[in-house]
Amino acid sequence: MNKPEKLPNRRLRLAADIGGTFTDVAAFDERTSRLLLGKTLSTPRHLVEGISEGAGKSGARFADASIFLHGSTVAINTMLERNGAKAALVTTAGFRDVYEIGRINRPDAYNLYFRKHDPLVPRSRRFEVNERLTAEGDVHKPLDEASVHAVCDRLIEIGVDAVGIMLLHSYRNPAHEIRVREIVRERLPQAFVSASHELSQEYREFERCSTVLANAYVGPRVRDYIQEIDGHLKQADFDGSFLLVQSTGGLYESAQAQQQCIRMLESGPAAGVVGTQALCHAMGLGEAIAFDMGGTTAKAGVIYDGQALTTSLALVGGYERALPVQMAMIDIFEVGTGGGSIAWLDEGGALHVGPRSAGAEPGPACYGRGGQQPTVTDANLILGRLGADRFLGGEMKLDVAAARQAIQDKIAGPLDLTVIEAAAGILRIAATTMSLAVKTVTTERGLDAASFPLVAYGGAGPLHAVAIAREIGMERVIVPRAPGHFCAFGMLHSDLRYDYVRTWPARLAQLNFADLERIYGELITEGEEALARSGASNAKMKVVRAVDMRYVGQEHAVTIELPEKVLRKQDRAAIKQLFDAEHLLRYGTNAPTEAAELVSLRATISGVMRKPKMEKIARGTAKPPAAALRGTRAVTFGPSASGHGAAKKTTVYARDALKSGNRIAGPALIEEHASTTVVFPSDKLEVDQFGNLVIEIGRA
């Protein structure tokens, strides 16, 4: 990877990832295979400005790009912050309360303070129309269009911005939903209108209702946001393809993204997992945990058997009060702990970190932008893990006095601690919280987190990776090159992707393979047409078939991939074995002698695009070159049997000057433009052929 420089008259693939604190840009020159990087503070009031500034710092121009790839947290943040559109629901008569009743989950049966999920749309804005389909999709009661017009009269009267339509069994037959959508769009031309069959063709009415209302809730904001970027690109003489990252890690075109907004719920984090998958392929690793820590949140995903693990249902807001979103996405667990997460004391004096964040404005106290609350970044600065004059390559000076004052006033003083003790406590709580994200994405699938290497990225990830690894008992941490830009880099490894699903219950023993192939053929045809519309003529099509299965009598299913040779041989026994193995992995038990059934069929159609190659760096000796030394700094690593929290003299290295084969014994700090890697005492680091920092976790 090269330092930013102007490259006129070159065709680029440009990627931008907007986080809560920073905006990252990566540009890949397809002619020279060079990778250019830029990073700037996010601009919450006009997010597109951060993209322009980041592109400028990378030395790339929109006019030189053939493709612009983008990921953003705008959809998930709108849901979590509850500041979306004034939305309404239109549903089948008698079913307006399905959305609020939900699944009646009560994981903590004896918690007197338990609160169920809060609907995005109140009951006063949920309306019914007269119609009814059977579970087979036949018309039981014709659509009463007069009732639809009556509902539209009320929607106009109360002034809604968005409408979600979910009619019973529309996944089987969308005819009624299509007609209702036509009427609503005609009567409310300014409103954002979304129908459930456009997003999900699976059964489960509550999940489908929650999904379409989530799409309507975030729709106007996401649509306006994408249109703003589109307009900016045109002003910048960009005439290529504008593609957005979906929660699957795949890409889809901006026109589709403006209607199916909820598909980019986890777009930025998903790109990081895609980047981790590419890194694993280059390093010959079959498994890894992807850990992304930015300014606002920390996220974790899993690479298993060379592939990113996915799910067909996400719970936004946690299990207890979750709102489900029913669509394919990379399985990512997120916690509200990032570099900008605020440390605070509750009424009982207990210390907490997050989920509130200082964001980019005003940011942590040490940013000197008016922030007065202590954050994780302030704690890292106080403990010496960040250099005040080296943040962002020296572009941004950090205010040590402001960080010290914030921690003293808000944490250390009230708890009668020293500032150092308070800062160490902040980081310890943060590490414990983030380790839960890593454990959640593994243990719920029957995987042992301690047996995986941890790939740490994001601007703050390398600062905390070894502490998290110790918390879990992991043995190895890998910090990729340019970790602060890794999600943007991951976008350059994404492919166009279209996921289709159709509920189709059938007993495995009586499975009709001709019908199975017919339905898969219909799904694949939809994907081929979508791929043709994308305009990516050089993308190579790839098809993956999968099926949701369960034992007869079960409620929930697991997804397994169906190899083409199994379908070609019509091998029921092989399908059953695949299902039994996946069930054993997920739940620790299976029933090979029990009958199984199919629930839903899935087809993923990808347009495989050219990827940047992992560049190798120059070979060196075991001893780092003298040019890599940046002196020493006193760093506090926390309480230990030997140090009792005392600061240790720590050597600081410039990452850009390190060579392949260099070895470093902890304690050490490895500094680069957008991140710092912390190596604890007793840890050992080696630089591999691609420039990755491979850290073996020592045991004190």
Side-chain angles (χ1 to χ4, degrees):
M1 283 175 268
N2 303 283
K3 294 182 179 180
E5 62 179 67
K6 199 78 168 182
L7 290 180
N9 303 319
R10 303 284 182 95
R11 301 306 289 176
L12 305 172
R13 286 174 63 190
L14 194 61
D17 172 45
I18 297 181
T21 306
F22 288 100
T23 295
D24 305 320
V25 172
F28 173 58
D29 187 334
E30 293 185 321
R31 296 183 181 180
T32 65
S33 297
R34 301 179 71 190
L35 189 63
L36 309 176
L37 305 172
K39 192 179 189 77
T40 186
L41 284 169
S42 294
T43 49
R45 293 184 180 87
H46 298 285
L47 293 171
V48 70
E49 293 178 4
I51 297 175
S52 295
E53 291 178 16
K57 288 188 175 183
S58 74
R61 299 191 311 160
F62 290 109
D64 295 331
S66 58
I67 295 177
F68 175 61
L69 310 174
H70 179 49
S72 173
T73 56
V74 62
I76 184 67
N77 287 346
T78 299
M79 282 193 68
L80 294 177
E81 295 169 9
R82 295 298 180 104
N83 55 9
K86 183 179 181 180
L89 169 68
V90 178
T91 190
T92 302
F95 288 85
R96 68 185 292 200
D97 292 322
V98 164
Y99 179 52
E100 191 158 350
I101 294 171
R103 293 288 168 194
I104 320 180
N105 293 341
R106 194 178 179 91
D108 190 355
Y110 301 102
N111 182 0
L112 298 179
Y113 302 99
F114 171 78
R115 290 177 58 191
K116 61 195 296 287
H117 69 273
D118 296 322
L120 297 172
V121 175
R123 194 172 193 269
S124 61
R125 294 204 301 270
R126 303 200 292 264
F127 302 94
E128 300 176 345
V129 296
N130 296 321
E131 67 84 41
R132 186 67 180 266
L133 298 176
T134 67
E136 292 73 31
D138 299 325
V139 176
H140 178 69
K141 184 176 182 180
L143 174 65
D144 179 4
E145 294 192 6
S147 69
V148 181
H149 282 283
V151 167
C152 289
D153 291 339
R154 288 285 295 129
L155 297 177
I156 294 171
E157 181 182 340
I158 63 178
V160 299
D161 303 313
V163 180
I165 304 166
M166 196 290 296
L167 303 183
L168 200 65
H169 304 309
S170 59
Y171 65 91
R172 279 289 198 185
N173 179 0
H176 285 184
E177 265 197 7
I178 291 172
R179 181 56 186 150
V180 172
R181 183 185 62 190
E182 290 173 350
I183 295 173
V184 174
R185 283 180 174 171
E186 180 182 336
R187 295 288 308 278
L188 287 82
Q190 303 303 317
F192 181 93
V193 182
S194 181
S196 68
H197 74 273
E198 299 171 308
L199 303 168
S200 173
Q201 293 188 7
E202 291 183 77
Y203 75 122
R204 300 190 186 279
E205 309 311 318
F206 165 55
E207 285 79 3
R208 289 175 55 243
C209 186
S210 179
T211 300
V212 73
L213 284 179
N215 195 57
Y217 187 75
V218 305
R221 173 169 292 183
V222 174
R223 179 190 58 192
D224 293 347
Y225 167 72
I226 294 174
Q227 289 177 350
E228 181 186 5
I229 295 176
D230 204 18
H232 180 81
L233 292 174
K234 291 176 181 176
Q235 291 178 2
D237 296 325
F238 173 78
D239 60 358
S241 300
F242 175 23
L243 304 172
L244 291 107
V245 182
Q246 304 178 65
S247 300
T248 58
L251 305 169
Y252 67 155
E253 59 272 18
S254 61
Q256 186 180 7
Q258 291 179 49
Q259 286 299 316
Q260 299 182 15
C261 309
I262 204 67
R263 292 192 186 279
M264 57 182 293
L265 197 67
E266 293 282 5
S267 65
V273 180
V274 170
T276 302
Q277 179 177 313
L279 182 70
C280 287
H281 289 171
M283 296 180 66
L285 297 175
E287 290 81 34
I289 293 175
F291 175 72
D292 175 11
M293 182 182 177
T296 306
T297 59
K299 288 81 65 175
V302 178
I303 307 299
Y304 184 75
D305 198 19
Q307 300 297 318
L309 294 185
T310 60
T311 181
S312 59
L313 181 71
L315 298 176
V316 180
Y319 177 71
E320 294 87 351
R321 300 176 59 189
L323 288 169
V325 174
Q326 188 180 49
M327 60 180 54
M329 60 181 65
I330 289 179
D331 196 0
I332 294 172
F333 190 83
E334 184 169 334
V335 294
T337 306
S341 292
I342 295 171
W344 54 282
L345 303 177
D346 63 20
E347 293 179 354
L351 176 61
H352 301 263
V353 179
R356 291 179 300 140
S357 174
E361 294 181 4
C366 63
Y367 280 13
R369 299 163 65 94
Q372 297 181 346
Q373 300 296 325
T375 68
V376 172
T377 297
D378 294 309
N380 275 309
L381 180 63
I382 291 300
L383 296 180
R385 302 183 188 190
L386 287 175
D389 58 345
R390 294 174 180 171
F391 195 68
L392 289 183
E395 292 179 18
M396 185 175 178
K397 304 298 182 183
L398 300 182
D399 189 338
V400 178
R404 183 177 296 276
Q405 192 66 50
I407 294 177
Q408 173 63 39
D409 292 346
K410 305 293 184 180
I411 307 296
L415 294 180
D416 195 24
L417 300 172
T418 67
V419 171
I420 294 294
E421 290 171 335
I426 291 170
L427 295 194
R428 186 165 186 178
I429 289 174
T432 301
T433 302
M434 291 184 288
S435 70
L436 294 177
V438 175
K439 293 175 183 176
T440 299
V441 295
T442 50
T443 55
E444 288 188 359
R445 287 181 175 266
L447 303 174
D448 178 15
S451 66
F452 286 68
L454 184 71
V455 178
Y457 52 93
L463 277 164
H464 300 268
V466 294
I468 294 167
R470 274 180 163 74
E471 186 81 19
I472 298 172
M474 305 173 83
E475 297 181 352
R476 185 162 49 148
V477 169
I478 301 169
V479 180
R481 295 176 70 187
H485 301 82
F486 196 70
C487 286
F489 169 75
M491 293 176 195
L492 299 174
H493 288 267
S494 295
D495 297 313
L496 286 157
R497 174 167 170 161
Y498 302 93
D499 291 271
Y500 300 94
V501 60
R502 188 171 301 176
T503 292
W504 191 67
R507 293 286 180 97
L508 179 61
Q510 289 84 43
L511 181 61
N512 186 318
F513 280 90
D515 288 344
L516 186 73
E517 281 297 338
R518 175 180 54 80
I519 295 174
Y520 273 130
E522 293 172 359
L523 299 178
I524 292 169
T525 298
E526 286 187 63
E528 290 174 336
E529 294 172 351
L531 195 58
R533 290 193 300 269
S534 70
S537 57
N538 59 344
K540 181 180 178 181
M541 191 177 80
K542 176 185 176 183
V543 177
V544 175
R545 298 169 180 83
V547 62
D548 292 353
M549 292 185 65
R550 64 190 181 190
Y551 293 112
V552 174
Q554 279 188 323
E555 167 64 11
H556 293 283
V558 297
T559 303
I560 60 169
E561 184 177 327
L562 290 182
E564 188 174 344
K565 64 179 181 181
V566 171
L567 291 174
R568 187 170 59 250
K569 293 180 179 179
Q570 301 187 5
D571 192 341
R572 290 184 177 85
I575 295 174
K576 181 64 161 55
Q577 289 172 3
L578 289 170
F579 167 61
D580 288 334
E582 181 64 26
H583 198 281
L584 179 63
L585 177 65
R586 178 69 67 91
Y587 299 112
T589 184
N590 62 7
T593 61
E594 294 291 328
E597 61 185 358
L598 285 66
V599 179
S600 297
L601 307 182
R602 300 180 182 276
T604 298
I605 293 81
S606 301
V608 180
M609 305 175 72
R610 184 186 172 197
K611 312 291 194 303
K613 291 183 178 179
M614 294 284 182
E615 296 179 45
K616 294 183 179 181
I617 66 171
R619 181 74 185 175
T621 62
K623 184 178 180 180
L629 295 175
R630 279 189 169 177
T632 60
R633 192 158 68 232
V635 179
T636 301
F637 293 93
S640 66
S642 58
H644 302 291
K648 293 181 177 294
K649 184 179 179 181
T650 302
T651 306
V652 183
Y653 297 87
R655 183 167 186 177
D656 289 346
L658 294 176
K659 307 294 183 182
S660 171
N662 288 168
R663 296 178 181 177
I664 297 171
L669 299 177
I670 317 299
E671 293 184 336
E672 55 190 301
H673 178 77
S675 189
T676 298
T677 299
V678 175
V679 184
F680 274 41
S682 77
D683 292 346
K684 295 180 180 180
L685 178 152
E686 183 171 355
V687 184
D688 76 0
Q689 61 180 329
F690 300 108
N692 302 308
L693 307 181
V694 182
I695 304 170
E696 298 296 332
I697 303 300
R699 294 290 177 259

